[in-house]
Amino acid sequence: MAVYLVSVFLLLTQCQASPFDYPPPTNSSLAEALQIEVGEINNTSQQLLFSTPPPPGTIRRTPQTIIIGVRKGGTRALLEMLDIHPNIAVAATEVHFFDWDENYIKGIEWYRSLMPYSFENQITIEKTPGYFTSLQAPERIHSMNSSIKLLLILRDPTERVISDYTQVYYNRLENHKPVQPFEGIVIKNGALNTKYKAIQRSLYDVHMERWLKYFNLNQIHIVDGNTLIKTPLTELQKVERFLNLPPRIVSSNFYFNQTKGFFCIRSDGKERCLHESKGRPHPVVNETVLEQLYSYFREHNHRFYQMVNQSFDWH
Ligand code: A3P
C-alpha cells in the first residue's frame, strides 16, 4: 500500500511539474500543444494523469537540434512536418529556456524534463521562435552544446512584419483591446517607424551576426519559409540531409487543402492541417507603405545574403 501511495505521489508530482510528461508527445498531443500555444487549453494535467507511461527504452534527452526562429517564419509548420519523420521526436511546447531568464535559472534538468521521450536513434527537436532575436540565446545554447545543429526558417521580411502584425491584431481583438490599422503603426510622422518591434525582428542580418559569433555557418541550416508554403517536400528533404537522416518524408505526406489555402499533413493514416491561427488572411497594405518597407529591408537583406553565402527571393 505504501509503495502504491508513493507511486501515485511521484506520478502526481511529475505531472504537475510538467503537464506534458505523459504520454510522450505524439501528433495528437502536438495539436493539443498548439491549442495551448494559442490559449485554448490551460491545463491538461488531469487528462494526462491517467495516460500510458513512456515506451520502454526511451528517455528524455536535451535537443540535438533547435528551431531557433524566426517568429512567424513558419516554425510550427516546420516542426509538425518534421514530426512525420520516424527518427525525430519533437517537444510539444515552446520552452523559452534560453531566452527567458526566469526559465533559464531553473537549470538544464528542468529543460530536459520538458523534452519528449525518445529512442536512441531519434533526434530531439524543440522550437522556440524567440531565440533568434534573443541577445542571450546564442551564448547559452552554445554553452549547452557547441556542436548543436540549428534550424532557422525565414521568409520575406516585409511579409513577416505583416504576419507578426496580423497575429497581434487577432490577439488584441480576442482580448477586447483596441486595434490600429497596419499603416498607423508602421508609419509615424510620415516616416517608417523603425522602432516597431515587428520591423526589428525582420532585420535578419543584425540577429544572424550574433549567432555567427558562436556557431559556424555550417551548423545553421536556413529553411526558406516561402518555399515551405509552396512546396514543403523540397525544404524538408534538405533538412533531412542536413540532419543526416534517411529520407523518410515523401510527397504523399502532404495534400493541398483548398479551404485553408495551405498544405496539410498526412501521416500515420491521419490527415491534419495546422491550427486556424496559422495561415490567416493578411490585411491589404497600402502600396507606398509596402515600397517603404521593401526599400528599408533591401540593404539588410543583401548583408544577410553575404553573411550566409546564400540568397533568397525577397523583395
Ligand atoms: P500567416 O499566419 O501569417 O500566414 P509560425 O508558426 O512561425 O508562427 O509561422 C506562421 C506562418 O506559417 C503562417 O503565417 C503561414 O504563412 C506559415 N505556414 C507555412 N506553412 C504552413 C502551412 N502548411 N499551414 C499553415 N501555415 C503555414
Side-chain angles (χ1 to χ4, degrees):
M1 183 65 178
V3 172
Y4 171 75
L5 284 175
V6 169
S7 313
V8 169
F9 173 76
L10 282 175
L11 189 59
L12 267 171
T13 48
Q14 254 183 317
C15 287
Q16 279 165 358
S18 165
F20 308 108
D21 276 8
Y22 293 93
T26 58
N27 291 342
S28 61
S29 68
L30 252 186
E32 190 174 77
L34 180 57
Q35 286 176 299
I36 293 163
E37 196 179 291
V38 296
E40 288 183 8
I41 297 177
N42 293 323
N43 189 349
T44 54
S45 54
Q46 276 198 335
Q47 66 200 75
L48 296 176
L49 181 60
F50 301 105
S51 304
T52 46
T58 61
I59 56 165
R60 296 182 201 282
R61 295 160 221 268
T62 52
Q64 295 96 323
T65 297
I66 300 179
I67 299 175
I68 56 172
V70 62
R71 174 179 151 120
K72 306 315 293 173
T75 55
R76 175 57 61 180
L78 178 61
L79 187 80
E80 294 219 12
M81 289 171 177
L82 284 174
D83 193 36
I84 296 168
H85 201 291
N87 298 119
I88 287 180
V90 307
T93 50
E94 288 182 9
V95 183
H96 286 283
F97 179 61
F98 299 104
D99 59 339
W100 291 0
D101 291 345
E102 63 268 37
N103 286 340
Y104 194 64
I105 55 169
K106 291 178 187 162
I108 199 80
E109 283 312 310
W110 176 84
Y111 181 53
R112 198 151 63 90
S113 77
L114 296 174
M115 293 302 124
Y117 284 99
S118 62
F119 291 97
E120 210 175 348
N121 66 350
Q122 287 184 308
I123 292 179
T124 297
I125 303 188
E126 79 116 329
K127 78 117 178 162
T128 301
Y131 291 160
F132 181 55
T133 53
S134 149
L135 297 182
Q136 302 91 346
E139 183 183 3
R140 288 174 175 178
I141 293 178
H142 185 266
S143 74
M144 174 186 76
N145 178 356
S146 59
S147 58
I148 197 163
K149 291 189 171 187
L150 302 170
L151 294 171
L152 171 63
I153 177 163
L154 298 175
R155 70 199 283 197
D156 182 287
T158 301
E159 265 174 44
R160 204 216 63 79
V161 174
I162 300 169
S163 173
D164 205 325
Y165 162 85
T166 307
Q167 168 158 304
V168 175
Y169 174 89
Y170 280 105
N171 286 348
R172 291 183 71 87
L173 277 190
E174 277 160 30
N175 293 312
H176 310 288
K177 289 185 178 165
V179 289
Q180 276 193 69
F182 182 75
E183 292 80 355
I185 300 178
V186 166
I187 304 293
K188 288 272 186 256
N189 305 320
L192 203 62
N193 175 15
T194 53
K195 292 210 168 73
Y196 178 37
K197 281 241 169 71
I199 292 188
Q200 296 195 346
R201 285 189 200 107
S202 279
L203 300 177
Y204 302 150
D205 58 329
V206 173
H207 306 298
M208 194 64 176
E209 198 164 19
R210 278 196 312 276
W211 290 88
L212 291 177
K213 281 191 188 137
Y214 292 92
F215 297 99
N216 291 323
L217 191 54
N218 63 13
Q219 282 176 266
I220 308 174
H221 176 75
I222 301 167
V223 177
D224 185 331
N226 296 81
T227 310
L228 190 84
I229 292 175
K230 288 184 239 141
T231 53
L233 184 61
T234 327
E235 285 304 305
L236 290 157
Q237 287 176 331
K238 288 184 205 159
V239 177
E240 285 180 326
R241 285 195 290 273
F242 173 68
L243 298 178
N244 292 324
L245 289 172
R248 291 285 179 273
I249 303 177
V250 292
S251 61
S252 58
N253 286 128
F254 305 101
Y255 65 97
F256 192 78
N257 182 304
Q258 292 292 348
T259 320
K260 188 160 176 72
F262 282 86
F263 277 95
C264 297
I265 298 167
R266 188 186 292 115
S267 168
D268 298 331
K270 288 183 208 136
E271 294 188 342
R272 65 205 161 87
C273 296
L274 261 62
H275 188 266
E276 62 183 18
S277 64
K278 305 290 176 182
R280 278 187 290 220
H282 291 175
V284 178
V285 175
N286 174 292
E287 271 299 321
T288 318
V289 173
L290 277 181
E291 283 303 330
Q292 277 177 280
L293 283 164
Y294 296 154
S295 92
Y296 178 65
F297 287 126
R298 206 158 283 139
E299 203 178 301
H300 287 281
N301 292 347
H302 283 296
R303 195 167 163 256
F304 179 79
Y305 300 158
Q306 283 177 340
M307 254 177 201
V308 300
N309 296 329
Q310 202 180 334
S311 59
F312 293 85
D313 211 5
W314 301 331
H315 283 99

